[in-house]
mmCIF file of all heavy atoms in Angstrom:
data_model
loop_
_atom_site.group_PDB
_atom_site.id
_atom_site.type_symbol
_atom_site.label_atom_id
_atom_site.label_comp_id
_atom_site.label_asym_id
_atom_site.label_seq_id
_atom_site.Cartn_x
_atom_site.Cartn_y
_atom_site.Cartn_z
ATOM 1 N N SER A 124 -119.228 44.335 135.933
ATOM 2 C CA SER A 124 -119.680 43.325 134.919
ATOM 3 C C SER A 124 -119.368 43.715 133.591
ATOM 4 O O SER A 124 -119.029 44.847 133.288
ATOM 5 C CB SER A 124 -121.175 43.012 135.277
ATOM 6 O OG SER A 124 -121.900 44.240 135.114
ATOM 7 N N GLY A 125 -119.581 42.804 132.671
ATOM 8 C CA GLY A 125 -119.365 43.056 131.239
ATOM 9 C C GLY A 125 -117.915 42.782 130.819
ATOM 10 O O GLY A 125 -117.048 42.633 131.733
ATOM 11 N N PRO A 126 -117.622 42.649 129.547
ATOM 12 C CA PRO A 126 -116.264 42.355 129.066
ATOM 13 C C PRO A 126 -115.227 43.312 129.507
ATOM 14 O O PRO A 126 -114.041 42.890 129.751
ATOM 15 C CB PRO A 126 -116.373 42.271 127.527
ATOM 16 C CG PRO A 126 -117.685 42.947 127.221
ATOM 17 C CD PRO A 126 -118.560 42.825 128.420
ATOM 18 N N GLU A 127 -115.558 44.562 129.704
ATOM 19 C CA GLU A 127 -114.512 45.569 130.110
ATOM 20 C C GLU A 127 -113.994 45.257 131.523
ATOM 21 O O GLU A 127 -112.954 45.744 131.913
ATOM 22 C CB GLU A 127 -115.071 47.052 130.147
ATOM 23 C CG GLU A 127 -115.577 47.512 128.767
ATOM 24 C CD GLU A 127 -117.068 47.280 128.649
ATOM 25 O OE1 GLU A 127 -117.600 46.274 129.184
ATOM 26 O OE2 GLU A 127 -117.704 48.151 128.068
ATOM 27 N N ALA A 128 -114.879 44.595 132.317
ATOM 28 C CA ALA A 128 -114.434 44.187 133.712
ATOM 29 C C ALA A 128 -113.543 43.096 133.760
ATOM 30 O O ALA A 128 -112.882 42.847 134.814
ATOM 31 C CB ALA A 128 -115.751 44.017 134.494
ATOM 32 N N ALA A 129 -113.374 42.345 132.660
ATOM 33 C CA ALA A 129 -112.544 41.086 132.715
ATOM 34 C C ALA A 129 -111.059 41.424 132.784
ATOM 35 O O ALA A 129 -110.610 42.448 132.225
ATOM 36 C CB ALA A 129 -112.782 40.243 131.470
ATOM 37 N N PHE A 130 -110.275 40.638 133.486
ATOM 38 C CA PHE A 130 -108.895 40.797 133.514
ATOM 39 C C PHE A 130 -108.121 39.432 133.666
ATOM 40 O O PHE A 130 -108.731 38.488 134.276
ATOM 41 C CB PHE A 130 -108.355 41.872 134.568
ATOM 42 C CG PHE A 130 -108.859 41.539 135.972
ATOM 43 C CD1 PHE A 130 -107.927 40.990 136.867
ATOM 44 C CD2 PHE A 130 -110.073 41.898 136.448
ATOM 45 C CE1 PHE A 130 -108.229 40.736 138.171
ATOM 46 C CE2 PHE A 130 -110.470 41.578 137.729
ATOM 47 C CZ PHE A 130 -109.518 41.014 138.599
ATOM 48 N N THR A 131 -106.925 39.337 133.174
ATOM 49 C CA THR A 131 -106.200 38.070 133.112
ATOM 50 C C THR A 131 -106.077 37.369 134.414
ATOM 51 O O THR A 131 -106.109 36.135 134.439
ATOM 52 C CB THR A 131 -104.775 38.360 132.459
ATOM 53 O OG1 THR A 131 -104.980 39.060 131.339
ATOM 54 C CG2 THR A 131 -104.012 37.040 132.241
ATOM 55 N N THR A 132 -105.799 38.075 135.590
ATOM 56 C CA THR A 132 -105.435 37.420 136.735
ATOM 57 C C THR A 132 -106.590 37.175 137.768
ATOM 58 O O THR A 132 -106.385 36.882 138.929
ATOM 59 C CB THR A 132 -104.336 38.207 137.498
ATOM 60 O OG1 THR A 132 -104.712 39.584 137.719
ATOM 61 C CG2 THR A 132 -103.011 38.205 136.672
ATOM 62 N N LEU A 133 -107.825 37.471 137.330
ATOM 63 C CA LEU A 133 -108.929 37.366 138.236
ATOM 64 C C LEU A 133 -109.000 36.031 138.962
ATOM 65 O O LEU A 133 -109.275 35.981 140.160
ATOM 66 C CB LEU A 133 -110.273 37.569 137.539
ATOM 67 C CG LEU A 133 -111.608 37.372 138.360
ATOM 68 C CD1 LEU A 133 -111.657 38.437 139.523
ATOM 69 C CD2 LEU A 133 -112.863 37.392 137.542
ATOM 70 N N LEU A 134 -108.650 34.897 138.266
ATOM 71 C CA LEU A 134 -108.801 33.634 138.838
ATOM 72 C C LEU A 134 -107.631 33.129 139.682
ATOM 73 O O LEU A 134 -107.655 32.121 140.388
ATOM 74 C CB LEU A 134 -109.233 32.559 137.785
ATOM 75 C CG LEU A 134 -110.536 32.836 137.115
ATOM 76 C CD1 LEU A 134 -110.740 31.950 135.917
ATOM 77 C CD2 LEU A 134 -111.748 32.741 138.010
ATOM 78 N N LYS A 135 -106.538 33.791 139.367
ATOM 79 C CA LYS A 135 -105.278 33.353 140.026
ATOM 80 C C LYS A 135 -105.363 33.338 141.621
ATOM 81 O O LYS A 135 -105.826 34.297 142.173
ATOM 82 C CB LYS A 135 -104.157 34.369 139.640
ATOM 83 C CG LYS A 135 -102.799 33.901 139.922
ATOM 84 C CD LYS A 135 -101.790 34.904 139.446
ATOM 85 C CE LYS A 135 -100.386 34.556 140.029
ATOM 86 N NZ LYS A 135 -99.300 35.418 139.671
ATOM 87 N N GLU A 136 -104.908 32.175 142.205
ATOM 88 C CA GLU A 136 -104.931 31.982 143.624
ATOM 89 C C GLU A 136 -106.422 32.008 144.166
ATOM 90 O O GLU A 136 -106.520 32.119 145.406
ATOM 91 C CB GLU A 136 -104.002 32.990 144.351
ATOM 92 C CG GLU A 136 -102.617 32.747 143.943
ATOM 93 C CD GLU A 136 -101.628 33.811 144.515
ATOM 94 O OE1 GLU A 136 -101.964 34.512 145.454
ATOM 95 O OE2 GLU A 136 -100.525 33.897 143.922
ATOM 96 N N LYS A 137 -107.402 31.731 143.342
ATOM 97 C CA LYS A 137 -108.709 31.676 143.890
ATOM 98 C C LYS A 137 -109.115 30.169 143.928
ATOM 99 O O LYS A 137 -108.366 29.393 143.390
ATOM 100 C CB LYS A 137 -109.675 32.401 142.966
ATOM 101 C CG LYS A 137 -109.320 33.950 142.802
ATOM 102 C CD LYS A 137 -109.573 34.678 144.095
ATOM 103 C CE LYS A 137 -108.829 36.053 144.053
ATOM 104 N NZ LYS A 137 -109.144 36.874 142.927
ATOM 105 N N THR A 138 -110.196 29.878 144.554
ATOM 106 C CA THR A 138 -110.698 28.532 144.691
ATOM 107 C C THR A 138 -111.650 28.182 143.494
ATOM 108 O O THR A 138 -112.507 28.928 143.234
ATOM 109 C CB THR A 138 -111.424 28.315 145.975
ATOM 110 O OG1 THR A 138 -110.505 28.505 147.104
ATOM 111 C CG2 THR A 138 -111.873 26.809 146.193
ATOM 112 N N MET A 139 -111.439 27.015 142.913
ATOM 113 C CA MET A 139 -112.437 26.489 141.963
ATOM 114 C C MET A 139 -113.170 25.362 142.652
ATOM 115 O O MET A 139 -112.475 24.398 143.057
ATOM 116 C CB MET A 139 -111.799 26.001 140.650
ATOM 117 C CG MET A 139 -112.719 25.442 139.631
ATOM 118 S SD MET A 139 -113.730 26.830 138.905
ATOM 119 C CE MET A 139 -112.801 27.016 137.366
ATOM 120 N N ILE A 140 -114.447 25.423 142.750
ATOM 121 C CA ILE A 140 -115.179 24.433 143.371
ATOM 122 C C ILE A 140 -115.718 23.478 142.249
ATOM 123 O O ILE A 140 -116.400 23.950 141.306
ATOM 124 C CB ILE A 140 -116.346 24.870 144.280
ATOM 125 C CG1 ILE A 140 -115.764 25.694 145.441
ATOM 126 C CG2 ILE A 140 -117.143 23.677 144.828
ATOM 127 C CD1 ILE A 140 -116.831 26.347 146.284
ATOM 128 N N ILE A 141 -115.427 22.144 142.320
ATOM 129 C CA ILE A 141 -116.000 21.199 141.328
ATOM 130 C C ILE A 141 -117.135 20.425 142.056
ATOM 131 O O ILE A 141 -116.930 19.800 143.085
ATOM 132 C CB ILE A 141 -114.849 20.306 140.808
ATOM 133 C CG1 ILE A 141 -113.781 21.100 140.146
ATOM 134 C CG2 ILE A 141 -115.423 19.229 139.869
ATOM 135 C CD1 ILE A 141 -112.668 20.326 139.493
ATOM 136 N N CYS A 142 -118.243 20.408 141.472
ATOM 137 C CA CYS A 142 -119.434 19.695 142.044
ATOM 138 C C CYS A 142 -119.754 18.459 141.322
ATOM 139 O O CYS A 142 -119.659 18.352 140.098
ATOM 140 C CB CYS A 142 -120.619 20.604 142.070
ATOM 141 S SG CYS A 142 -120.431 21.913 143.313
ATOM 142 N N GLU A 143 -120.211 17.421 142.053
ATOM 143 C CA GLU A 143 -120.596 16.127 141.417
ATOM 144 C C GLU A 143 -119.641 15.544 140.476
ATOM 145 O O GLU A 143 -119.997 15.186 139.404
ATOM 146 C CB GLU A 143 -121.992 16.333 140.699
ATOM 147 C CG GLU A 143 -123.092 16.792 141.562
ATOM 148 C CD GLU A 143 -124.495 16.715 140.850
ATOM 149 O OE1 GLU A 143 -124.445 16.441 139.652
ATOM 150 O OE2 GLU A 143 -125.466 16.767 141.558
ATOM 151 N N GLN A 144 -118.318 15.597 140.817
ATOM 152 C CA GLN A 144 -117.362 15.167 139.826
ATOM 153 C C GLN A 144 -117.512 13.740 139.453
ATOM 154 O O GLN A 144 -117.139 13.327 138.416
ATOM 155 C CB GLN A 144 -115.882 15.530 140.279
ATOM 156 C CG GLN A 144 -115.230 14.440 141.119
ATOM 157 C CD GLN A 144 -115.544 14.611 142.648
ATOM 158 O OE1 GLN A 144 -116.454 15.265 143.041
ATOM 159 N NE2 GLN A 144 -114.672 14.133 143.505
ATOM 160 N N GLU A 145 -118.234 12.921 140.291
ATOM 161 C CA GLU A 145 -118.416 11.531 139.971
ATOM 162 C C GLU A 145 -119.373 11.325 138.820
ATOM 163 O O GLU A 145 -119.444 10.273 138.221
ATOM 164 C CB GLU A 145 -118.909 10.725 141.264
ATOM 165 C CG GLU A 145 -120.337 11.046 141.698
ATOM 166 C CD GLU A 145 -120.552 12.419 142.331
ATOM 167 O OE1 GLU A 145 -119.495 13.100 142.594
ATOM 168 O OE2 GLU A 145 -121.678 12.787 142.647
ATOM 169 N N LYS A 146 -120.120 12.384 138.496
ATOM 170 C CA LYS A 146 -121.088 12.278 137.294
ATOM 171 C C LYS A 146 -120.412 12.758 135.994
ATOM 172 O O LYS A 146 -121.002 12.709 134.917
ATOM 173 C CB LYS A 146 -122.279 13.103 137.618
ATOM 174 C CG LYS A 146 -123.103 12.565 138.789
ATOM 175 C CD LYS A 146 -124.561 13.118 138.880
ATOM 176 C CE LYS A 146 -125.184 12.589 140.081
ATOM 177 N NZ LYS A 146 -126.325 13.400 140.492
#
Side-chain angles (χ1 to χ4, degrees):
Chain A
S124 54
E127 301 94 326
F130 58 99
T131 307
T132 55
L133 174 64
L134 298 171
K135 193 178 170 181
E136 293 173 19
K137 303 290 162 57
T138 299
M139 181 71 101
I140 300 175
I141 301 182
C142 290
E143 298 192 349
Q144 88 270 23
E145 71 286 355
K146 296 192 181 161

